Amino acid sequence: MISPSQAPPVLSTERMRVLVVGATGQTGKEVVQQALKDGHTVTAVVRSPEKVTETHDNLKVVKGDVFDEASLTPVMAEQDAVVSCLGFPRNPQPVTGYTESMSAIVEAMRKTNISRLVTMTAWYTDTSSAANSGFLVNWCLIPFLRPILTNMRQMEQYLETKCQDINYTVVRPPGLKNAPQSGKEMSVSEGFLVETNSAFNTTSRSDVASFMLSCLRSNIYDRKMLAITTTPKKE
């Protein structure tokens, strides 16, 4: 496991042009707000622009279809990076939204010469990684989430095997909660979970958004897939 002290160093304070998909989701909203606060220019691609309540001189809201390469390509022009916080429900099954949307996003990136991508999945995308996580995780959580986790893993494998030209970072958080940024350090593991004392870890969406944006300012996690969770704040 990568220790908290090895969290991505800020190598650049350059302001970027960031395209955010999934910007109306709870984590996506955090990404948009924090990116604007950091001085980046943000283009939010959403299905329903009226759902975006954030207003800012550096925010552009565009209606688009994340499953349609032709819809995404025009808005990717002159962007520096793509951040995806897309999420899809477990029903109807099978879940295919993660792979279908990523295929469209990657093809649009290729057509506009964008290579940097940060996207989010979850712990346990390889469900066998939960083997030692206890009864409730193995017999309750994993069966319930299996359709989502399976498609998330398929999306990860697509990036690994079909996207050598894409500089991706896949961020795998545990359960998400709504809370302000904690100021805690992030534990990071190049695996499907972070080994902790509890299988039911939670991390705030604001902390996840902060970590995702930090990956844009560093090359330490280029082409990596990372399980993360916040660690107790040192006294």
Side-chain angles (χ1 to χ4, degrees):
M1 187 174 79
I2 301 169
S3 71
S5 62
Q6 291 175 276
V10 176
L11 302 182
S12 172
T13 57
E14 180 183 358
R15 294 177 180 179
M16 303 178 69
R17 297 163 298 180
V18 182
L19 183 83
V20 181
V21 290
T24 57
Q26 295 183 81
T27 306
K29 289 178 181 177
E30 284 288 340
V31 168
V32 170
Q33 291 171 2
Q34 291 185 33
L36 291 170
K37 185 177 180 181
D38 289 345
H40 301 303
T41 299
V42 178
T43 299
V45 179
V46 296
R47 183 172 55 184
S48 303
E50 66 276 6
K51 291 185 178 180
V52 179
T53 57
E54 185 81 14
T55 58
H56 195 283
D57 289 343
N58 289 336
L59 173 63
K60 181 179 181 180
V61 181
V62 178
K63 185 174 183 178
D65 182 352
V66 297
F67 301 109
D68 182 6
E69 169 195 336
S71 174
L72 294 172
T73 300
V75 298
M76 285 202 183
E78 300 183 355
Q79 302 292 329
D80 297 312
V82 176
V83 176
S84 175
C85 299
L86 289 169
F88 299 95
R90 64 186 299 274
N91 288 314
Q93 295 184 29
V95 177
T96 59
Y98 294 96
T99 45
E100 290 177 358
S101 62
M102 187 53 68
S103 176
I105 290 167
V106 166
E107 288 307 313
M109 290 176 66
R110 285 171 172 156
K111 286 190 173 181
T112 51
N113 296 314
I114 301 172
S115 62
R116 190 67 177 106
L117 169 71
V118 179
T119 189
M120 180 176 71
T121 57
W123 280 22
Y124 307 126
T125 51
D126 178 349
T127 55
S128 66
S129 65
N132 298 320
S133 296
F135 176 83
L136 289 177
V137 169
N138 278 281
W139 296 98
C140 298
L141 182 66
I142 295 299
F144 180 76
L145 293 179
R146 190 179 302 277
I148 292 174
L149 295 172
T150 297
N151 195 227
M152 284 180 169
R153 183 60 186 144
Q154 290 168 341
M155 182 191 79
E156 293 174 347
Q157 291 170 328
Y158 165 74
L159 290 172
E160 286 178 312
T161 61
K162 304 293 186 182
C163 299
Q164 286 78 12
D165 55 328
I166 300 298
N167 180 14
Y168 60 79
T169 303
V170 176
V171 177
R172 298 168 172 147
L176 297 173
K177 61 184 179 181
N178 292 324
Q181 284 183 257
S182 67
K184 297 177 181 177
E185 295 178 320
M186 193 69 75
S187 291
V188 182
S189 172
E190 292 189 56
F192 295 96
L193 72 158
V194 178
E195 297 290 348
T196 67
N197 294 328
S198 172
F200 288 101
N201 281 264
T202 59
T203 297
S204 73
R205 291 179 172 88
S206 55
D207 284 341
V208 173
S210 177
F211 182 81
M212 293 178 77
L213 289 170
S214 77
C215 291
L216 296 178
R217 301 193 298 270
S218 165
N219 60 8
I220 192 173
Y221 293 143
D222 287 5
R223 292 189 61 81
K224 294 185 183 297
M225 301 193 180
L226 310 163
I228 65 169
T229 192
T230 44
T231 54
K233 197 169 185 179
K234 296 179 181 179
E235 297 297 333

